[in-house]
Amino acid sequence: MEPTARAVYQVAADPECALPGGALLTEIRAELHRFSGSHHDLAEREDAARCWSGERAERYRDFGGDAGAVSRAVLDCAPLASLTGAWLQWLTSPGNAEDAVALRLLALYAADVGVGRPHASRGSAFRALLRHLGLFEQAVPAARLALDHRIGDAAFVVPAVLLAMSRRPGDFRAEITGADLCLRAVGLLPALTFVRDTAPTAADWTALDPGAARQDGADPAGQCRLAAAECDGERVALGFDWTLGALTAADEDLHAELTAARAPAYEMAALLRRRAREGAVYHRDFTLAGRPLAEWLAQARSAPEPLLDALAGSRLVRPGRAEASPLVTSLISDRGPMFRVFAEQDVAVIRRWIDSLPAASAEVPRLSTRSIPPRLPSFTSPGEDGREPADLRAAYHALQHRTGTPALRRYSTRYVRRWLARAGTDLDSVELPLPGEWPAEGLRPWLSDQHERHAHEFELTADAPLPSREALVDSIVQLAPLTLIDGAWLQGFTDYELAATDIGHALFDTYWDELGNGRPDLNHPRIYREVLAEMDVRPPPTGSPEFAAWPGFREESFALPVFWLCIGRFPRTFLPEVLGLNLAMELSGVGGSYRRARIALRHHGFSTRFVDIHNTIDNVATGHSAWAADAVDTYLSALPPAAEAGARAAAWTRVRTGYRALTASTGWLARARGRVKEMIDG
């Protein structure tokens, strides 16, 4: 069975999604050529996209004030608009964290998700519109939209392909950039323009326009244009052309649907088809036009028009008079046998259809106007299973990139579980700053205590001898595999579904800071390389195989970095542990070891900028340490507190395990427990 667009969308929306290579890439590339062929330069393409958007928007103005059309248009735009910018979510990785183009695209993405604020993404603004219109009672994850059959399959084509490409960023960065530039030029989707005119205060319309600047004031199209200039031009054009062509096809489909739906009979037929399956279970004893209603309903699952004709001519309906029709006054009333079977908006559809019957055409509009979307890439296409990394160096290199083989995924899962098993050994019998139970007052007071402890320890060691120049250089060099992937444990929170949540926004903001907020001069890996260069140490690029094989690094220097890289791939599976690890990492040097390192670096004539910037941005009042503590508190406070439930206590144990994982025990018992865990997990 070939996958539908909605099935592809649902799979690719998963933050821990891992798409295979091989045939999948060939299928995506074939799809991208479906609308290729334009020979214009990018500026002309942008002009064409803007003109297209304006012309299409004009076609929708006739639907202004039509509540049914508003709902249909918003629902059909939901799969794309609720994930605006998501195609950029994996374009940065530990392996390209120093790359200027990757940082520019990260800045563009950060604006889309409203970095630093929960529920501030462009998608969040669209979901607020859905709730305002009563289309959903609460915010829903993207994957939930794929289950809503009020939305046509064609509406999922564009976002499904874009999401699929986002999960293979190393293969499609140029095409993704071209697609993004097209969507910035198009701006607010044409079908949403009449919705905006009808309900100007119903949404943050600036946020819903991907071409509009946000709080940072930067021009999104301009930023994307600069990134596109650094990519393969032909592939950028391919992504642009496909996106505009696919948008055109989807827009034609939606416009035809809205036009047909103007006939109340069309809307009523759609309602019957949606509810026919459940209704066919009942009504075997009720006869309509000489035939059991259950049989009519079974037929209506694919062809509701005959049932609609039969209802129109039955005693249940008084044409033109819904208020006098038994279908409304008796069957579905609060005293009728079908009370609450239809939602309020469904009853409104039934009433409009009955009231329209005298003026309606004798022929019921059929529901076959929607086009059939193209075959999309098959996520069941067999890809290469690959081989697991032979050693830590091989794993480090393989994990530098977002994508990987099933074998690498198995390796990553096992490595994390083994590491955490060691970290969780006898938590209560070792010195661990985190208390045995989550403090009732939260972690902020504890955080201040730890900061003061670090300061006290620093004072006690103020007169301790400094390391020699050779020892200091060796320490800085051996920390390079770790420090040059700063923030890698948080890479999973760049995912669109996590980056703007109550917990995830602080973690994404931290990651955003580690990479310099899109500015190469503030990028932490780059700053660290400047220190290495002062020491006359110049390792190869971090994402290259030469870096992992560089003889200047000792094998054990890759152990913790590989853990970071592995756990960063599973932001949902290991959420409590990531929260604990993040807290340990951000607090580790503040007030103490960073100050100690500063003295040593300065004594030997090296720049202190790297430790200085961390001692400030990781501060316990308004910095990363504070954010990390707040994220843990937010997570735990949402869990059941009842002792018998055990959920909060279990989660706190996992947070503590993650905290200790930064310095996981290497003792015999811990290693043995790790091996047992590995055997259990296969």
Side-chain angles (χ1 to χ4, degrees), residues 434-435 438-439 441-448 583 628-630 632-633 636 652 655:
L434 280 178
W438 178 51
E441 68 276 15
L443 286 174
R444 282 297 190 112
W446 171 88
L447 196 65
S448 296
L583 178 60
D630 290 347
V632 173
D633 287 342
L636 288 166
W652 178 242
V655 170

Side-chain angles (χ1 to χ4, degrees), residues 104-282:
R104 182 172 288 118
L105 290 168
L106 179 61
L108 185 59
Y109 178 66
D112 286 335
V113 300
V115 62
R117 293 172 296 126
H119 311 294
S121 68
R122 295 187 189 272
S124 297
F126 187 83
R127 292 173 189 182
L129 175 63
L130 289 172
R131 295 194 301 276
H132 178 86
L133 296 175
L135 297 173
F136 287 97
E137 293 183 359
Q138 57 188 9
V140 293
R144 169 66 179 81
L145 294 175
L147 306 178
D148 193 322
H149 289 275
R150 294 175 297 175
I151 306 171
D153 282 347
F156 290 94
V157 173
V158 173
V161 173
L162 292 179
L163 285 177
M165 290 197 295
S166 82
R167 302 307 186 187
R168 301 288 307 190
D171 299 297
F172 296 106
R173 183 166 86 166
E175 291 85 350
I176 291 170
T177 304
D180 187 75
L181 186 59
C182 175
L183 290 162
R184 307 289 175 183
V186 167
L188 186 67
L189 291 173
L192 292 178
T193 55
F194 86 93
V195 180
R196 178 191 60 196
D197 296 341
T198 300
T201 62
D204 180 352
W205 294 104
T206 299
L208 298 186
D209 180 352
R214 304 204 73 192
Q215 285 80 0
D216 62 357
D219 171 30
Q223 288 180 285
C224 187
R225 208 174 291 124
L226 290 172
E230 301 295 326
C231 298
D232 183 312
E234 289 188 8
R235 291 172 58 194
V236 170
L238 186 66
F240 193 109
D241 290 347
W242 177 85
T243 303
L244 187 57
L247 282 175
T248 301
D251 187 76
E252 286 288 356
D253 182 89
L254 175 57
H255 191 270
E257 170 81 356
L258 296 186
T259 300
R262 279 179 156 171
Y266 182 92
E267 201 174 21
M268 181 64 177
L271 173 61
L272 288 178
R273 185 169 63 181
R274 286 198 307 271
R275 306 302 302 275
R277 182 175 183 178
E278 61 198 64
V281 175
Y282 307 98

Side-chain angles (χ1 to χ4, degrees), residues 12-194:
D14 179 3
E16 295 183 3
C17 175
L19 300 190
L24 171 68
L25 306 186
T26 302
E27 292 172 2
I28 292 178
R29 291 188 180 110
E31 168 62 20
L32 289 173
H33 280 87
R34 188 158 61 100
F35 298 110
S36 63
S38 173
H39 298 289
H40 302 296
D41 62 24
L42 273 183
E44 292 172 319
R45 281 181 163 88
E46 287 187 74
D47 287 340
R50 281 189 287 268
C51 288
W52 174 87
S53 183
E55 291 169 359
R56 294 281 171 151
E58 284 298 320
R59 298 200 315 165
Y60 286 98
R61 296 200 183 279
D62 288 344
F63 295 107
D66 183 336
V70 166
S71 295
R72 286 177 182 273
V74 171
L75 282 169
D76 250 50
C77 291
L80 180 61
S82 64
L83 289 179
T84 297
W87 39 91
L88 304 175
Q89 60 195 349
W90 277 13
L91 287 177
T92 54
S93 65
N96 68 8
E98 302 169 52
D99 178 70
V101 176
L103 295 180
R104 182 172 288 118
L105 290 168
L106 179 61
L108 185 59
Y109 178 66
D112 286 335
V113 300
V115 62
R117 293 172 296 126
H119 311 294
S121 68
R122 295 187 189 272
S124 297
F126 187 83
R127 292 173 189 182
L129 175 63
L130 289 172
R131 295 194 301 276
H132 178 86
L133 296 175
L135 297 173
F136 287 97
E137 293 183 359
Q138 57 188 9
V140 293
R144 169 66 179 81
L145 294 175
L147 306 178
D148 193 322
H149 289 275
R150 294 175 297 175
I151 306 171
D153 282 347
F156 290 94
V157 173
V158 173
V161 173
L162 292 179
L163 285 177
M165 290 197 295
S166 82
R167 302 307 186 187
R168 301 288 307 190
D171 299 297
F172 296 106
R173 183 166 86 166
E175 291 85 350
I176 291 170
T177 304
D180 187 75
L181 186 59
C182 175
L183 290 162
R184 307 289 175 183
V186 167
L188 186 67
L189 291 173
L192 292 178
T193 55
F194 86 93

Side-chain angles (χ1 to χ4, degrees), residues 297-382:
L297 288 167
Q299 180 186 12
R301 292 179 62 181
S302 58
E305 294 82 9
L307 173 56
L308 202 58
D309 284 336
L311 278 173
S314 74
R315 65 180 187 277
L316 299 174
V317 170
R318 302 287 187 267
R321 298 173 59 208
E323 75 283 355
S325 297
L327 178 59
V328 174
T329 61
S330 300
L331 288 184
I332 63 176
S333 69
D334 55 5
R335 294 181 179 274
M338 296 177 65
F339 175 54
R340 290 286 176 85
V341 168
F342 293 103
E344 184 177 341
Q345 57 266 37
D346 296 335
V347 175
V349 168
I350 296 170
R351 286 179 172 277
R352 282 196 296 271
W353 169 66
I354 295 175
D355 287 338
S356 73
L357 282 177
S361 167
E363 182 179 352
V364 176
R366 300 190 64 81
L367 297 181
S368 58
T369 59
R370 308 215 77 173
S371 62
I372 299 175
R375 179 181 184 274
L376 291 184
S378 172
F379 289 177
T380 58
S381 297

Side-chain angles (χ1 to χ4, degrees), residues 519-567:
R519 289 175 50 183
D521 62 311
L522 291 178
N523 179 264
H524 294 181
R526 285 190 172 216
I527 294 172
Y528 200 80
R529 280 190 179 273
E530 292 170 3
V531 178
L532 289 171
E534 290 179 2
M535 298 174 173
D536 201 27
V537 177
R538 294 176 175 81
T542 312
S544 68
E546 291 78 16
F547 182 91
W550 196 60
F553 300 134
R554 292 190 285 275
E555 187 80 7
E556 59 267 25
S557 297
F558 291 95
L560 182 57
V562 167
F563 172 65
W564 280 10
L565 291 166
C566 288
I567 200 169

